[in-house]
Amino acid sequence: METPSPYSLLAELTYRCPLQCPYCSNPVEMSRYAGELETRCWKRVLSEASSLGIVQVHFSGGEPLLRDDLEDLVAHARSEDLYCHLITSGVKADEKRLGQLKEAGLDAIQISLQDSRQEESDWLAGARSFEIKQSAVQAAREQGFPITLNIVLHRHNLGQLEEMIELARQWKVDKLELAHVQYAGWALRNRAALLPTAEMVTRSTTIVERARQSLAGQLEIVHVLPDYFQQFPKACLHGWGRVFLTVSPDGSVLPCQTAREIPGLQIPTVEDGSLEEIWFQDPLFQRFRGTDWMPEPCRSCDRREIDFGGCRCQAFLVTGDLSATDPVCHLSPKRFLIDEAISESETAERELVFRSGPDGF
C-alpha cells in the first residue's frame, strides 16, 4: 500500500497553560517536557510541513498564546500557504492580540469552554475564566474569525448540555464542538470521576440531534461520542501515520499527540531529520501503518480498513499491549476491561485531580 502524505499538522507550541482542566490531554509528567523549540526551528518545521504536502496547521498547547512569537509563526505558515487554525483557552485572546493574529494571517480560531454556567466552568478550569472566554469570543467575532466553541463533555457537565447549545447560539459562534472525554493524559487519571453513564450518553445524542434540526443553518454542531460506549472503535486519527502529524513542544514528532505517553517507543525529533524523512522512513510511523501488523480479530475483520484496529494509545493504556485490538471493540477479547471501568465509575465516588504543571505566569 502506497504511503499517503499527511494532510494536517498539530503544532503543540507549549505545554504551559493558565488553566488546570482535569481532562487535559497534555502529559501527566509535564516536567519531562520543559523544553520548547525556538522560533527558528518552528519555522523550519512549518516549511518542511508545506513541502511534505500538509495543507493546514493547528497551533495548540497548552496555551499557544503564551508564546510571544505566535504571530511570527502564523505569518510564516501563511507564507508557506498553510491554513492556520488557533486552538486556545481564550484566556489571553484579547482584542489587541487577536488583531495582531488577524494581520499575521490567522484563518480561524477554536476557543474552549468548560461549562455553560460560570461557577461550574471556572471550577473545572481551575481558574476564573468564563467571562474572559466570553470576551474572547466577542473579540474574535469582531475580527471576523470563523469561531468554533469547544466543550469537552463528561459526567460533571452533561446535565447542562441544552444550556451549552443555547449559549453557543447566543454567543453567535459558527460551530459548536461537543466532544466527550478521550481517556488519556489527565483524563485517564480521572476516568472514574469523569465517565458518564450509558443513560447520559444516550440522552446527549437525543439532545444534539434535536438541536441540529432546530438550529439548522444557524449553528453547526459536531458531536464526538465517547469510545467506551461504542460497538466499534474510531480509526486512530484516520489510521496511524496516514493523515495527521504532531510536533510537540520539545520537537518530538508523533503520529498522534498521545503516543508520547507510551513508554519504550523510540520517538524521533525534528533534529533527527526532516519531517519528510520521519514520515516516510521512521520505524515509529511505519509500525502500525496499514493493516499488516494487525492481530485477530482485526486481521480478518471487514472493518480493518475502516477503523485500522482502533486507537493504539487506548489499546496500550487499557490493556498494556500496544498491538492489541482496541478494547472498546465488542469483538475484542479485552472488552471486559472497558465494561469494568464503566461499572466502577457508576459506583465509585471520586474527587477530580486537577492538572498541575507550568502555568506560564
Side-chain angles (χ1 to χ4, degrees):
M1 179 184 296
E2 184 179 352
T3 302
S5 294
Y7 176 84
S8 180
L9 169 66
L10 178 64
E12 294 185 309
L13 300 181
T14 180
Y15 287 143
R16 291 175 289 145
C17 185
L19 305 186
Q20 298 176 303
C21 307
Y23 47 77
C24 181
S25 62
N26 286 170
V28 174
E29 300 296 335
M30 277 186 287
S31 60
R32 293 165 48 195
Y33 306 92
E36 294 180 8
L37 296 179
E38 296 179 351
T39 307
R40 172 185 53 82
C41 191
W42 269 117
K43 286 184 175 181
R44 174 173 65 83
V45 168
L46 293 167
S47 296
E48 290 178 359
S50 179
S51 297
L52 182 55
I54 286 172
V55 298
Q56 61 183 24
V57 56
H58 305 274
F59 292 105
S60 180
E63 176 46 68
L65 284 167
L66 291 173
R67 292 275 304 216
D68 294 335
D69 59 355
L70 180 58
E71 289 84 351
D72 197 10
L73 295 179
V74 168
H76 183 78
R78 289 303 294 135
S79 74
E80 293 286 354
D81 203 27
L82 292 169
Y83 180 91
C84 295
H85 181 222
L86 176 64
I87 302 173
T88 174
S89 68
V91 171
K92 295 183 74 65
D94 57 26
E95 182 179 357
K96 179 181 178 181
R97 193 79 192 274
L98 290 178
Q100 292 170 341
L101 287 166
K102 184 72 172 181
E103 184 177 350
L106 185 68
D107 291 289
I109 185 168
Q110 174 183 297
I111 297 175
S112 68
L113 186 68
Q114 283 64 37
D115 203 312
S116 57
R117 301 176 180 179
Q118 179 175 343
E119 183 177 354
E120 285 85 345
S121 184
D122 290 349
W123 170 66
L124 285 164
R128 295 185 62 181
S129 57
F130 182 90
E131 292 180 335
I132 300 173
K133 290 169 180 284
Q134 183 177 10
S135 297
V137 169
Q138 180 179 350
R141 193 170 62 244
E142 291 173 352
Q143 290 291 338
F145 285 116
I147 306 168
T148 297
L149 185 66
N150 171 269
I151 305 178
V152 176
L153 302 177
H154 46 81
R155 180 190 299 187
H156 295 274
N157 65 7
L158 268 171
Q160 288 80 258
L161 184 55
E162 290 168 306
E163 294 180 15
M164 295 174 194
I165 296 170
E166 173 58 19
L167 182 143
R169 188 193 66 80
Q170 292 178 4
W171 286 10
K172 299 179 181 179
V173 300
D174 301 281
K175 181 189 295 186
L176 173 62
E177 183 177 271
L178 300 165
H180 285 260
V181 167
Q182 300 298 309
Y183 293 97
W186 289 91
L188 182 63
R189 184 169 181 175
N190 283 303
R191 184 174 65 179
L194 290 169
L195 265 170
T197 64
E199 181 181 358
M200 288 179 176
V201 175
T202 300
R203 181 174 178 271
S204 72
T205 302
T206 300
I207 291 172
V208 169
E209 289 306 315
R210 186 166 60 236
R212 280 175 172 161
Q213 293 178 21
S214 65
L215 296 174
Q218 301 179 53
L219 176 66
E220 179 184 354
I221 303 176
V222 176
H223 189 206
V224 182
L225 291 167
D227 287 359
Y228 279 39
F229 294 89
Q230 304 306 301
Q231 185 178 19
F232 296 107
K234 300 180 182 71
C236 180
L237 294 176
H238 298 285
W240 179 282
R242 294 186 73 251
V243 176
F244 291 95
L245 182 69
T246 294
V247 177
S248 295
D250 63 353
S252 297
V253 186
L254 300 159
C256 77
Q257 65 193 85
T258 310
R260 64 188 162 228
E261 296 286 271
I262 302 172
L265 291 182
Q266 295 298 310
I267 298 174
T269 76
V270 295
E271 302 299 331
D272 297 329
S274 68
L275 290 188
E276 181 175 3
E277 291 170 335
I278 292 171
W279 178 262
F280 286 108
Q281 300 174 24
D282 191 87
L284 176 64
F285 281 82
Q286 298 191 54
R287 184 169 179 179
F288 299 109
R289 185 178 273 153
T291 59
D292 290 345
W293 64 272
M294 289 181 176
E296 294 292 355
C298 297
R299 180 177 292 273
S300 57
C301 182
D302 292 340
R303 294 179 56 87
R304 63 184 176 276
E305 293 188 7
I306 298 174
D307 56 40
F308 293 95
C311 177
R312 295 301 84 222
C313 300
Q314 187 159 257
F316 174 80
L317 293 171
V318 175
T319 73
D321 180 0
L322 187 57
S323 299
T325 298
D326 189 327
V328 306
C329 182
H330 76 289
L331 299 174
S332 167
K334 297 296 181 69
R335 169 69 206 195
F336 71 91
L337 295 173
I338 298 293
D339 295 332
E340 287 177 354
I342 293 172
S343 178
E344 178 188 6
S345 71
E346 290 176 347
T347 58
E349 289 294 332
R350 302 288 179 89
E351 290 188 6
L352 290 172
V353 179
F354 286 80
R355 176 192 191 273
S356 60
D359 62 9
F361 293 116

